[in-house]
Amino acid sequence: MLKSLLIANRGEIACRIMATCRRLGIRTIAVYSDADTYAKHVREADDAIHIGAAPAAESYLDGDRIIEAAKASGAEAIHPGYGFLSENADFADAVEKAGLIWVGPKAETIREMGLKDEAKRIAEEAGVPVLPGYRGEAQDVKTLEDEADKIGYPILIKAVAGGGGRGIRLVSRKSDLSSELESAVREAKSAFGDGRVMLEKLVEHPRHIEVQVFGDSHGGAVHLYERDCSLQRRRQKVVEEAPAPGMPEDVREAMTGAAVKLAKAVGYEGAGTVEFIVDGARPLAKDTFWFLEMNTRLQVEHPVTELITGTDLVEWQLRVASGEKLPLEQKDIPLSGHAIEARICAEDPANDFRPGAGRLAAFDLGEPDLFAGETPDADELHYRLDAGFEAGGTVPATYDSMIAKMIIKSWDRGSATSALSEQLGQSIVAGIPSNIGFLKRCLDNEVFRQGDHHVNWIAEEIDALASPDTGGARLAASLVAGILLSPDDDGPWDEKDGWRMNAVPRRSIRLLVGEDIVEASPGDVHLTDDWQAIGLSETRFAVGVNGETWLVEVPDYEAEAEAIAGGDRVAAPMPGKVIDLRVKAGDSVTKDQTVAVMEAMKMEHSLKAPRDGVVKTVGAELGEQVGEGVVLVELEDA
């Protein structure tokens, strides 16, 4: 077994890997950028080494610096986690050439399965079902248009070197193909340095079901059953669960068998995931699933597999990397209960999921009874929390928006879903926006409860799912009013009962909830919902109501009012890079016309004109990195 390990990652996955290493007595070395100097994963490691500036390209994506850090720290091996360099075959090669152990599959396997067209060719040869599509070398628009006609619309454009939902575009008609190709290619080049795309027939009500596979250097290969990751937004997973709802045993055998067959075909070593697209318009059957891609790393959603099988997949990775055989044979891997995971992200669902960053004034997700690497009791309710942050920490704007994963394991899907919803409802994240309320609304929806959701379901129901219940603001104000108007002591002069001489008692207080003034009294709202309140100061509170966090404070009427620019400016809503400027000074624009596009937290964000007008000035340049609030375009009347 390894004695020391450098973790080439950050946040919750770095902390999760460290949990297993502590249990196994393995020394851990963290790496960190300027943005993560005081991060949780840095504090929890045995040693930590600074590797560069905040941009990932100058730190977490700089393979040479990471290898230098591993050598300097005396690490035996490097674990890449997920994202960043985890599926970079050149980095895997460089690690081994430096005399270090790579905790992952062979570089050759990463290359083969990292290109979606090559992966599908290998899958076809191995007898794994694959969707019809175009995976040729020719990339000119005419060829792609002809191939799309042969496949038949609707189709998906997919980046050959893609992942994480980037470089994917849905095209419903031929007239849209050219513009969507341009957008997909640009995003693929930015994200992966490879603008090649392929075309694939669209399954219109798709489910996403994947199989966890594991291989070793002795020819062993097994599966650890399936996960359902169909609850997605913009191709990004939101909630994952294991096993898949409604999975018949014969279909499970066919799907897991196909996954193991593919793993054996490439001599797979370590943790991997074989993803399938499933026709959700029909009941699960042997002819309703097709190979999608293979992820040659540990997945974000690996905890749900750990909880239903009673395994520690990170430990398995470390043992395989050390040259050991797989810890269990296929017949000895159990399947018990149901586990479900929600990804908690720093984003604002009510504002088109705009990413957020800043200091966590409050971060209370409850007290878990199970921790990473621990084996749950069979058929019992357990709560596990994998988090990369704590109260008082700072969420940088530079990286992915996920800050924690909340996982519940229970005896069946219904009880696990209800317990996760309840835990979300009692959670508070203040100082930055979060998607906790959105997650709770998804889990509480009857479509999800029945297992009838599909990959596009959130998009179809986004208005209802993304908007918080406005009644939550009044409930939050009422809760704080009750706190502030409670007596300080037992004496008569300490009563806060609203007594007034010669007038009807009035027991209320004006409070600022978000940007609105609310006059609230204790007991204004019947307290039947999930809630809790945390005092941030004597006059400022974070109140969690059904998963939404409301900042409630006593207004400071003497504070200077901040000047608010009218409807003449388009400003950067977050720190990011300007990747497209569509107007120049003197151009006429109409309301809601896209004037600029920014890239932040690995996503593109279109910025629109607030009204009709003429562009007065353009305050940024193409490719410029700008801070939040920087005015990109200013308008004037025609």
Side-chain angles (χ1 to χ4, degrees):
M1 175 59 75
L2 300 171
K3 300 298 182 185
S4 57
L5 180 71
L6 182 139
I7 302 164
N9 217 296
R10 62 180 298 278
E12 71 84 17
I13 187 57
C15 295
R16 185 266 168 274
I17 294 167
M18 289 173 196
T20 290
C21 289
R22 279 193 297 272
R23 184 171 60 80
L24 298 177
I26 298 172
R27 174 173 158 258
T28 57
I29 301 97
V31 292
Y32 64 95
S33 70
D34 289 348
D36 282 336
T37 300
Y38 304 104
K40 181 182 178 183
H41 78 277
V42 175
R43 299 195 309 275
E44 292 194 350
D46 295 309
D47 293 296
I49 297 179
H50 177 257
I51 54 169
E58 300 174 40
S59 50
Y60 297 107
L61 288 174
D62 191 327
D64 292 338
R65 291 188 184 184
I66 290 171
I67 291 172
E68 288 172 9
K71 288 182 173 181
S73 67
E76 291 179 77
I78 292 179
H79 193 309
Y82 54 72
F84 292 133
L85 294 169
S86 62
E87 293 180 285
N88 186 308
D90 292 339
F91 180 60
D93 266 337
V95 168
E96 295 190 338
K97 287 177 182 176
L100 301 164
I101 295 172
W102 168 251
V103 183
K106 296 188 293 287
E108 177 187 356
T109 305
I110 297 174
R111 287 192 181 93
E112 287 178 330
M113 306 314 289
L115 297 175
K116 288 185 170 61
D117 53 350
E118 177 66 4
K120 292 196 174 182
R121 183 193 65 76
I122 294 171
E124 283 180 315
E125 290 183 355
V128 178
V130 174
L131 273 174
Y134 171 73
R135 300 186 289 276
E137 289 297 320
Q139 295 286 299
D140 59 281
V141 174
K142 178 65 168 60
T143 296
L144 293 171
E145 285 180 342
D146 291 344
E147 293 296 331
D149 287 339
K150 293 177 187 176
I151 297 167
Y153 292 90
I155 63 166
L156 283 178
I157 302 169
K158 304 179 83 171
V160 166
R166 297 183 295 281
I168 297 179
R169 297 294 185 276
L170 188 157
V171 185
S172 299
R173 53 179 183 261
K174 186 173 183 176
S175 59
D176 294 335
L177 183 63
S178 179
S179 61
E180 295 294 351
L181 270 172
E182 182 181 347
S183 177
V185 168
R186 181 177 67 238
E187 189 171 76
K189 283 181 178 178
S190 172
F192 315 111
D194 185 343
R196 292 177 299 149
V197 298
M198 59 188 232
L199 307 179
E200 194 172 77
K201 180 65 178 175
L202 178 71
V203 178
E204 296 199 60
H205 290 89
R207 287 178 64 181
H208 177 120
I209 299 179
E210 60 191 33
V211 176
Q212 177 73 61
V213 294
F214 237 98
D216 61 27
S217 58
H218 304 276
V222 298
H223 69 80
L224 290 95
Y225 305 103
E226 81 281 354
R227 299 184 287 255
D228 191 304
C229 307
S230 300
L231 199 68
Q232 299 184 12
R233 188 187 71 83
R234 295 181 181 173
R235 312 290 168 185
Q236 297 282 344
K237 298 168 187 175
V238 173
V239 168
E240 304 101 346
E241 56 185 310
M247 174 65 76
E249 190 55 41
D250 62 331
V251 181
R252 173 175 290 131
E253 290 180 6
M255 188 179 290
T256 56
V260 172
K261 193 184 298 183
L262 180 60
K264 288 182 176 179
V266 295
Y268 199 84
E269 296 179 19
T273 300
V274 181
E275 300 190 345
F276 295 95
I277 189 167
V278 179
D279 185 354
R282 296 186 281 161
L284 287 168
K286 293 181 181 179
D287 63 347
T288 62
F289 68 88
W290 300 271
F291 173 72
L292 185 62
E293 64 181 351
M294 186 175 193
N295 288 306
T296 52
R297 54 172 168 81
L298 192 68
Q299 292 280 87
V300 174
E301 57 272 19
H302 76 273
V304 294
T305 294
E306 293 182 321
L307 296 187
I308 65 164
T309 59
T311 57
D312 181 341
L313 297 187
V314 173
E315 179 180 346
W316 281 40
Q317 285 186 296
L318 299 175
R319 292 195 179 281
V320 167
S322 300
E324 298 181 21
K325 289 185 177 182
L326 292 171
L328 294 174
E329 295 182 8
Q330 188 67 68
K331 63 182 177 59
D332 298 321
I333 301 173
L335 171 58
S336 172
H338 197 95
I340 185 167
E341 170 184 294
R343 299 188 185 193
I344 297 175
C345 298
E347 60 188 16
D348 184 0
N351 195 7
D352 196 27
F353 293 85
R354 188 179 81 181
R359 181 178 175 275
L360 285 163
F363 190 67
D364 187 347
L365 304 180
E367 293 296 328
D369 68 332
L370 194 70
F371 299 91
E374 292 184 343
T375 302
D377 295 326
D379 297 330
E380 288 190 10
L381 185 68
H382 290 285
Y383 171 36
R384 168 173 158 181
L385 178 67
D386 288 10
F389 296 88
E390 297 171 321
T394 298
V395 178
T398 322
Y399 312 115
D400 186 86
S401 62
M402 193 179 74
I403 55 178
K405 300 181 311 197
M406 186 179 285
I407 314 108
I408 295 287
K409 191 259 184 182
S410 188
W411 48 89
D412 62 16
R413 185 175 188 264
S415 60
T417 304
S418 294
L420 181 57
S421 172
E422 182 178 351
Q423 190 65 57
L424 289 165
Q426 296 173 354
S427 296
I428 289 180
V429 173
I432 60 169
S434 85
N435 66 335
I436 293 177
F438 163 74
L439 292 170
K440 180 172 169 58
R441 288 188 289 276
C442 288
L443 294 179
D444 290 345
N445 192 283
E446 191 61 26
V447 172
F448 181 83
R449 290 291 179 122
Q450 295 298 323
D452 294 331
H453 59 290
H454 51 81
V455 169
N456 302 319
W457 177 70
I458 285 180
E460 294 171 0
E461 303 293 331
I462 192 63
D463 290 342
L465 295 172
S467 301
D469 178 9
T470 54
R474 178 156 291 281
L475 176 54
S478 178
L479 291 167
V480 173
I483 294 171
L484 293 174
L485 297 178
S486 297
D488 298 324
D489 208 337
D490 295 332
W493 307 112
D494 297 299
E495 289 291 335
K496 297 178 181 178
D497 56 4
W499 180 86
R500 295 185 296 164
M501 184 178 290
N502 301 322
V504 176
R506 185 179 68 196
R507 193 165 177 256
S508 65
I509 186 172
R510 289 187 176 183
L511 297 168
L512 183 64
V513 184
E515 297 179 355
D516 300 322
I517 296 291
V518 176
E519 183 158 347
S521 300
D524 277 352
V525 183
H526 185 52
L527 304 181
T528 59
D529 303 270
D530 293 330
W531 67 273
Q532 69 163 319
I534 296 176
L536 304 179
S537 68
E538 289 186 0
T539 59
R540 195 162 179 259
F541 299 82
V543 184
V545 179
N546 290 328
E548 298 290 344
T549 296
W550 301 89
L551 286 177
V552 182
E553 55 189 312
V554 178
D556 182 357
Y557 294 106
E558 296 180 359
E560 182 178 355
E562 184 179 344
I564 301 175
D568 293 332
R569 298 180 177 182
V570 178
M574 72 208 81
K577 183 179 181 181
V578 179
I579 61 171
D580 194 8
L581 283 171
R582 301 187 181 179
V583 295
K584 61 183 183 301
D587 286 353
S588 295
V589 297
T590 58
K591 187 177 185 298
D592 292 330
Q593 176 183 335
T594 298
V595 296
V597 180
M598 287 183 62
E599 183 181 67
M601 290 190 173
K602 301 191 287 188
M603 298 286 288
E604 289 191 9
H605 305 270
S606 297
L607 307 182
K608 303 180 184 299
R611 64 176 180 85
D612 296 348
V614 173
V615 176
K616 180 180 180 181
T617 59
V618 175
E621 297 181 358
L622 193 63
E624 183 178 351
Q625 192 80 25
V626 298
E628 181 177 352
V630 171
V631 177
L632 304 180
V633 176
E634 186 172 4
L635 304 179
E636 60 184 355
D637 293 333

